[in-house]
Amino acid sequence: KSADIFGIGFDELVSDPRKAEDLGFSEQGCTLLRRIQADDIHFFEHGEFCLSHPSSGRARYVEYTVRPLRYEGKGQVLVIMRDVTEANLIQLSMKDAMESAEAANRAKSEFLSRMSHEIRTPMNVIIGKLHLARRHRDDPERMARSLDDIERASDHLLELINGVLDISKIESGKVNFVDRPFNLARLLDSLADVVEPQCAAKGQTYRLVTEGPVDALFVGDELRMRQLLVNLLTNAVKYTEEGGHVTLEVRVAPSLA
């Protein structure tokens, strides 16, 4: 019934279209009532309009069907209206949920695609240094350098794998940070194994500039720090033109504590 949907009878609503404006009818709803009042319905029509309650501001949706007909030789208009607010809200909620799920899937796909690319970098370092180590078995100094490079690349690879595994922890809000002593200079040197091959592929040069006692021990989460710097440098390589320069500047200032 019209009174159940609008709070007033349909005849009263049609006789005074201004009431539709008072009830917050959308333009489509107001136009429909004016056409019904002017006997301007000539074909079967089906549609939907909304109204916003003036006091609560709550939106309601109304589905309508109108069609002209003749009864006892007189022109009439058959009007059927139905409140579809709940159905529309459910549909909108489902749409929002689907869009959120699709956005999450896209983010995960992009993350995994990027990680698969980044994983190849330390793997290439490990494989390349292994070949060098085999060719220089009689050179202890070169062998030691190759083993050091393999160790750093292995650490980086493990961090990348842990990053992939951290997805579930991030989603559940269980990511933990640790405070442990670490050598900043060693961390910075290990970044070159990751960044220099990427720069070489684009004809770029990578430079590390330090100021202060970077070889001191610092307390913090070395893994997260490394992940942060790798991500920043990888983006720098990505958005720097070919033949350009990527520079990491690190300044160590005295603690104020």
Side-chain angles (χ1 to χ4, degrees):
K1 295 180 180 179
S2 173
D4 295 334
I5 301 176
F6 309 118
I8 60 175
F10 188 72
D11 291 341
E12 183 181 357
L13 195 59
V14 174
S15 63
D16 186 1
R18 289 176 299 178
K19 293 184 179 296
E21 298 179 5
D22 296 337
L23 290 172
F25 272 48
S26 64
E27 180 59 31
Q28 186 176 0
C30 292
T31 300
L32 175 65
L33 290 178
R34 288 194 293 267
R35 290 179 58 217
I36 293 175
Q37 184 187 47
D39 194 22
D40 190 27
I41 305 297
H42 305 294
F43 306 97
F44 170 86
E45 296 180 24
H46 178 79
E48 186 179 297
F49 64 88
C50 67
L51 63 149
S52 178
H53 196 278
S55 59
S56 67
R58 180 174 180 265
R60 301 184 69 181
Y61 299 89
V62 178
E63 183 182 67
Y64 68 86
T65 300
V66 294
R67 63 179 302 172
L69 53 81
R70 297 192 67 79
Y71 179 72
E72 294 183 349
K74 297 181 179 180
Q76 304 285 337
V77 177
L78 174 66
V79 181
I80 301 174
M81 292 193 178
R82 184 167 66 96
D83 190 331
V84 293
T85 301
E86 295 302 324
N88 276 22
L89 291 177
I90 292 174
Q91 186 176 9
L92 289 173
S93 297
M94 292 177 63
K95 181 181 178 182
D96 290 342
M98 289 181 62
E99 289 178 350
S100 297
E102 290 174 356
N105 285 332
R106 284 195 300 270
K108 286 184 179 180
S109 296
E110 292 171 1
F111 175 79
L112 293 174
S113 175
R114 178 170 59 82
M115 292 304 293
S116 65
H117 172 73
E118 292 186 11
I119 284 173
R120 292 190 184 95
T121 299
M123 283 299 300
N124 289 335
V125 172
I126 292 171
I127 294 170
K129 295 299 180 179
L130 281 174
H131 290 322
L132 284 175
R134 288 196 181 99
R135 288 203 301 267
H136 300 90
R137 294 176 182 176
D138 299 330
D139 188 336
E141 185 177 346
R142 296 195 65 169
M143 176 74 76
R145 286 202 303 268
S146 295
L147 291 176
D148 288 341
D149 292 340
I150 290 172
E151 182 181 7
R152 286 196 294 266
S154 298
D155 290 341
H156 180 215
L157 180 60
L158 180 59
E159 291 170 7
L160 292 174
I161 294 172
N162 287 334
V164 175
L165 297 177
D166 277 347
I167 293 178
S168 59
K169 292 182 181 180
I170 292 172
E171 292 178 339
S172 61
K174 295 181 180 179
V175 175
N176 297 318
F177 293 88
V178 298
D179 286 331
R180 295 175 182 169
F182 69 94
N183 186 291
L184 179 60
R186 184 175 182 274
L187 185 153
L188 296 174
D189 288 341
S190 69
L191 298 176
D193 293 332
V194 180
V195 182
E196 287 179 347
Q198 297 180 13
C199 288
K202 295 184 65 175
Q204 302 166 343
T205 58
Y206 168 68
R207 188 166 62 116
L208 172 64
V209 179
T210 63
E211 182 180 319
V214 294
D215 57 343
L217 286 178
F218 294 81
V219 176
D221 195 321
E222 182 179 7
L223 171 62
R224 305 299 177 191
M225 177 66 73
R226 181 183 173 86
Q227 289 176 333
L228 173 64
L229 292 173
V230 167
N231 287 337
L232 288 174
L233 290 170
T234 298
N235 283 334
V237 173
K238 179 179 179 181
Y239 294 108
T240 299
E241 68 278 2
E242 292 190 6
H245 306 279
V246 176
T247 303
L248 174 61
E249 297 184 3
V250 180
R251 294 183 176 89
V252 177
S255 174
L256 297 178

